[in-house]
């Protein structure tokens, strides 16, 4: 039985029974003692000094205590939850009460306080829309607010470590976990996920950026070897981590399951020691993913600081007895053990959680619903609106709503990030019975929310299982909304197609009535064989706890459609760097490699631009209910920095939000060399404008977005020359271009603070 099966079978059995206690268990936090006796508890000292002082006071056993974690749920018959852990939680690390060092209570993940498997009890929490949806807002302020909200729920639930901050790039559109991440571009992903982590950590708790790194597909995730060159990884996946870390200073980093160039991520000296700790100067701790540790000395010497959920997931408790043996044999130094403990404590001190212990408190769910709704509605992307079908208007008309359980709720993604919904599951019995299932619909009904907003309109719902009945209802209606869903989750990848004959359903409906709007709830991109026939397409992703309301507000025009794609929608699988996904879900332990040298750093739209492929929908695309003009583009270098300014004008008749995007490219790419693709996203800004209003936007381009990796100099180099600055509404929709001469520049490898 493999780890995944273990997890599936046992969590489903055990979590349901115990999870209710999550809301009622009090956390045993050590009391903060007088700083004179325990100077490391003095919050006026900096985190480094405090960690140094505390480690000096620690016994060897205490050092070993803080570097080893336990799973927070039972996994019968192999593992019984340690009683101190919050039931149903992701993890637990013992504290050192003698020194006032708190226990670590760990919870997943990016959309809220998650629990896995079993039936809901008292573990319902607010769920944000998926990471992909939040990224589709292109609004870092919303990502921050969402992070602050889920971090507050984590704190009020007794958790002081949130395993949130997934920033793996969409290298593989079929990756089942893309919904947890921040899209395909390093700048956009870094800004959005960085803002979320900052929001979480504003609650004085730890957030964990993950999964470091190149963890880009679920098939074979425990074994696959990601092959990629240094320049390519630094200019893509690592750059996303780098940008996010610069903005958020995460207190922890989670190393991934997979291998990178032959070494597991949690024992990868290049990634952990060289890039993260040396180049980027990361001072906090590296925790392993659950089941990602394969050695003691090798892992620890490569930079792993804490083993997560060891007894439950890893083959051995590598960072416990075997590490003591390795120390005795001289394979690991005492200095390194001290450094590991020190890093864990530094993360805790830096977070503020030591002087502000977490405690279980009431949560203001009504206030939090507004936060998740604001996020969801700005993430909804209007992909197509040819016949002006949207926004829907009130009046004596008939609207058909078909499929997707739109009468009762909205879909969410499965796996460890699954939040159980307030009000219970809207749909029972769909998807796998065990982890990463079940398939969970949050009880926020788009149908009810539409009815409330369209008085006088006759709105009929039909579930869509019977194509002929759906077509009949469509034919008798003025406008048809088909709700199509695609469930993605952890531990499996997804073909880019809709399941359960939903394509055929859409075909049947649109044949009966051309005024058909398709409303999608998907983890990421899908193929749309019916695209040319339908009148409008709306991508709502997994929209979270208030998703039904958010969808209805966009469909009725109560708010503008202002989401933009953070990911390219391919027209076919042939367009991808790997038309066939590597690995075989039937042999999860068989080692294999994935060749990321094919695209290198040309991820997503960069690959499409490089190859000249026409995507179904381009990165950055999304329509509004109004129209915008982008004017007076100026690009200049000010004090060595490339500054771009322009005006955005609302040329339509209603208030709306634009997302002007700036792309950069060398004028003569051959002369400059080293660019992975024709253009890179270099800046964006979401702006709201009343009809006729104009606003001026100024952006300073991060110089690394003009640079290439210089292996010899071990840093970034901007080549002198002319660069083209392109302003547009997407990576393919260009409004204006400007040329600018840029001087040569060298940039350090380390993190640059904004
Ligand atoms: C996932 C992590 C998660 C951890 C704890 C792992 O399977 O990859 O993202 O944080 O489990 O639940």
């Amino acid at each position: 039985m493999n780890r995944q099966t273990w997890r599936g079978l046992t969590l489903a059995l055990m979590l349901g029974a115990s999870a209710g206690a999550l809301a009622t268990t009090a956390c045993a936090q050590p009391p903060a003692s007088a700083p004179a006796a325990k100077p490391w508890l003095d919050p006026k000292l900096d985190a480094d000094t405090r960690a140094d002082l505390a480690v000096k006071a620690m016994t060897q056993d205490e050092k070993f205590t803080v570097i080893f974690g336990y799973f927070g749920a039972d996994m019968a018959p192999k593992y019984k939850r340690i009683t101190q852990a919050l039931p149903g939680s992701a993890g637990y690390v013992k504290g050192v009460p003698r020194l006032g060092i708190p226990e670590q209570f760990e919870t997943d993940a990016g959309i809220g306080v998650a629990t896995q498997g079993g039936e809901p009890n008292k573990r319902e929490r607010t769920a944000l829309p998926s990471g992909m949806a939040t990224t589709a807002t292109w609004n870092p302020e919303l990502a921050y607010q969402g992070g602050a909200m889920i971090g507050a729920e984590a704190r009020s639930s007794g958790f002081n470590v949130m395993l949130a901050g997934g920033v793996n790039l969409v290298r593989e559109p079929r990756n089942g976990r893309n919904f947890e991440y921040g899209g395909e571009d390093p700048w956009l992903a870094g800004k959005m996920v960085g803002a979320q982590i900052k929001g979480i950590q504003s609650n004085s708790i730890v957030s964990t950026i993950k999964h470091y790194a190149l963890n880009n597909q679920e098939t074979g995730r425990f074994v696959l070897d990601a092959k990629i060159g240094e320049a390519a990884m630094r200019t893509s996946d690592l750059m996303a981590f780098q940008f996010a870390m610069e903005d958020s200073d995460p207190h922890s980093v989670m190393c991934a399951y997979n291998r990178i160039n032959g070494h597991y991520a949690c024992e990868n000296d290049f990634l952990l020691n060289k890039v993260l700790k040396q180049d980027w100067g990361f001072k906090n701790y590296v925790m392993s993913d659950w089941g990602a540790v394969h050695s003691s000395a090798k892992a620890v010497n490569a930079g792993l600081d804490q083993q997560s959920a060891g007894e439950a997931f890893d083959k051995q408790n590598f960072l416990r007895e075997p590490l003591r043996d390795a120390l005795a044999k001289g394979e690991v130094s005492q200095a390194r053990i001290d450094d590991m403990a020190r890093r864990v404590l530094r993360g805790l001190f830096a977070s503020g959680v030591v002087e502000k212990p977490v405690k279980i408190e009431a949560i203001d769910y009504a206030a939090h619903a507004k936060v998740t709704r604001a996020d969801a509605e700005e993430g909804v992307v209007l992909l197509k609106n040819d016949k002006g079908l949207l926004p829907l208007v009130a009046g004596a008309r008939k609207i058909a709503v078909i499929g997707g359980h739109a009468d009762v709720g909205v879909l969410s993604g499965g796996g460890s990030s699954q939040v159980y919904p307030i009000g219970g599951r809207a749909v029972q019995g769909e998807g796998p019975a065990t982890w990463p299932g079940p398939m969970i619909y949050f009880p926020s009904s788009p149908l009810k929310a539409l009815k409330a907003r369209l008085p006088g309109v006759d709105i009929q719902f039909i579930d869509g299982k019977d194509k002929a009945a759906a077509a009949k209802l469509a034919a008798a209606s003025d406008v048809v909304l088909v709700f199509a869903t695609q469930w993605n989750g952890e531990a499996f990848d997804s073909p880019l197609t809709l399941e359960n004959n939903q394509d055929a359903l859409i075909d049947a409906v649109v044949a009966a009535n051309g005024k058909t709007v398709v409303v999608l709830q998907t983890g990421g991109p899908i193929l749309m064989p019916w695209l040319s026939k339908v009148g409008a397409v709306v991508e709502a992703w997994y929209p979270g706890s208030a998703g039904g309301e958010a969808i209805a507000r966009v469909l009725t025009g109560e708010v503008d459609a202002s989401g933009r794609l953070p990911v390219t929608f391919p027209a076919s699988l042939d367009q991808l760097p790997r038309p066939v996904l590597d690995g075989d879900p039937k042999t999860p332990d068989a080692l294999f490699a994935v060749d990321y040298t094919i695209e290198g750093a040309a991820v997503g739209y960069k690959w499409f631009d490089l190859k000249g492929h026409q995507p179904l929908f381009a990165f950055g695309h999304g329509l509004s209910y109004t129209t915008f003009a982008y004017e007076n583009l100026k690009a200049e270098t000010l004090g060595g920095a490339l500054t771009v300014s322009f005006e955005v004008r609302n040329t339509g008749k209603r208030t709306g939000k634009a997302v002007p995007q700036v792309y950069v490219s060398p004028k003569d790419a051959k002369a400059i060399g080293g660019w992975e693709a024709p253009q890179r996203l270099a800046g964006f800004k979401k702006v709201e404008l009343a009809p006729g209003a104009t606003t001026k936007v100024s952006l300073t381009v991060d110089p690394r977005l003009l640079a290439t990796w210089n292996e010899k100099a071990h840093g970034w180099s901007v080549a002198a020359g002319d660069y083209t600055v392109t302003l547009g509404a997407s990576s393919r929709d260009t409004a204006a271009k400007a040329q600018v001469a840029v001087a040569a520049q060298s940039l350090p490898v380390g993190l640059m603070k904004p």
Side-chain angles (χ1 to χ4, degrees), residues 7 108 116 163 177 210-211 254 257 289-290 416 490:
R7 187 171 197 166
D108 285 299
Q116 303 146 37
L163 309 173
R177 292 185 87 175
K210 69 186 187 185
H211 307 91
M254 185 191 289
Y257 285 130
D289 199 346
W290 275 227
S416 58
E490 184 173 342

Side-chain angles (χ1 to χ4, degrees), residues 109-122:
I111 64 161
V113 176
T115 39
Q116 303 146 37
E119 280 305 300
N121 200 325
K122 285 184 180 162

